[in-house]
Amino acid sequence: GAVVSQHPSRVICKSGTSVKIECRSLDFQATTMFWYRQFPKKSLMLMATSNEGSKATYEQGVEKDKFLINHASLTLSTLTVTSAHPEDSSFYICSASSGAPNEKLFFGSGTQLSVL
Amino acid sequence: GQNIDQPTEMTATEGAIVQINCTYQTSGFNGLFWYQQHAGEAPTFLSYNVLDGLEEKGRFSSFLSRSKGYSYLLLKELQMKDSASYLCAVRTGANNLFFGTGTRLTVIP
């Protein structure tokens, strides 16, 4: 099956710094990538949808200046948490789609962000 | 907005059968997925329904009724390793996937 690689798996940073998370589709071209956030014992919350070569579409309540998404190529999307604060601490997961009809999404392994 | 509901927690006995329900009210429907997620890991795909009826895959089956906005995941012959969260997700458009609240299943001996 398709493989989506996400790095880093865990990051600890100081408050005020920025953190970049990478999501790569290893064996297919991902026209669309999705970024999710998950709090402990909660389900996944869709943050934004990114399409290669265009601006990301953010869900209501998600600050686009806070969570910068770049999808510059068909195999790479990045999420940058800018000026991180402790409340940004969460599990972030990306998923990717080749755009084929009715295709299931493939998920990255997730990034646990802890902001001190 | 999208509304996808599941029971928060369930407990079942090893070897038994458990049914996890999911009801949804979404703007658009283009398929329903069930994923399994162990703590700290990414979700793994279990099943996909786009037409009404039952889809069976080994110990797992999933049912969909679009008119009722209802699905269930059926797990048979429960094993301890089935203890996990089970996420119901609805695709509303081309590929937008919205997740339900998730059900934490605990399998006891």
Side-chain angles (χ1 to χ4, degrees):
Chain A
V3 177
V4 176
S5 174
Q6 184 174 343
H7 293 283
S9 59
R10 182 178 295 273
V11 59
I12 301 172
C13 69
K14 292 182 179 180
S15 186
T17 60
S18 294
V19 174
K20 180 184 284 188
I21 303 169
E22 290 189 351
C23 182
R24 294 180 184 272
S25 56
L26 297 186
D27 53 0
F28 67 102
Q29 293 186 325
T31 56
T32 307
M33 286 189 173
F34 303 88
W35 288 95
Y36 292 87
R37 181 174 181 176
Q38 186 174 35
F39 292 100
K41 299 185 179 181
K42 300 291 184 182
S43 191
L44 281 74
M45 180 191 77
L46 179 65
M47 297 175 65
T49 302
S50 73
N51 294 294
E52 185 266 336
S54 63
K55 290 184 179 180
T57 302
Y58 290 81
E59 294 300 308
Q60 192 173 6
V62 178
E63 299 175 60
K64 60 182 180 182
D65 295 330
K66 172 78 172 173
F67 299 99
L68 300 178
I69 292 173
N70 184 283
H71 192 161
S73 77
L74 285 171
T75 59
L76 173 65
S77 176
T78 60
L79 167 68
T80 301
V81 183
T82 62
S83 188
H85 289 284
E87 56 264 31
D88 298 325
S89 298
S90 191
F91 192 56
Y92 293 87
I93 306 179
C94 71
S95 66
S97 165
S98 68
N102 299 328
E103 178 200 57
K104 63 177 183 280
L105 293 181
F106 297 93
F107 285 85
S109 52
T111 299
Q112 182 64 54
L113 171 64
S114 300
V115 184
L116 305 178
Chain B
Q2 322 298 346
N3 197 27
I4 303 169
D5 288 319
Q6 305 175 233
T8 305
E9 296 194 24
M10 298 183 73
T11 302
T13 305
E14 189 176 15
I17 299 173
V18 71
Q19 177 174 313
I20 302 174
N21 295 324
C22 172
T23 57
Y24 63 90
Q25 291 176 306
T26 57
S27 55
F29 179 83
N30 192 21
L32 187 144
F33 297 77
W34 283 95
Y35 283 85
Q36 180 192 63
Q37 186 182 29
H38 288 95
E41 297 180 10
T44 55
F45 171 79
L46 291 178
S47 69
Y48 169 68
N49 295 69
V50 68
L51 299 176
D52 291 350
L54 188 68
E55 294 282 341
E56 298 186 77
K57 189 188 285 187
R59 294 191 299 116
F60 295 79
S61 303
S62 57
F63 171 83
L64 174 67
S65 169
R66 289 171 295 170
S67 62
K68 295 181 180 178
Y70 168 69
S71 174
Y72 68 71
L73 178 70
L74 195 70
L75 292 77
K76 303 176 186 175
E77 301 170 15
L78 279 174
Q79 301 174 10
M80 299 300 291
K81 67 178 182 178
D82 295 330
S83 293
S85 286
Y86 291 85
L87 309 176
C88 168
V90 174
R91 180 155 58 195
T92 59
N95 264 315
N96 287 31
L97 201 62
F98 290 91
F99 283 83
T101 49
T103 300
R104 285 195 305 280
L105 174 66
T106 302
V107 180
I108 57 176

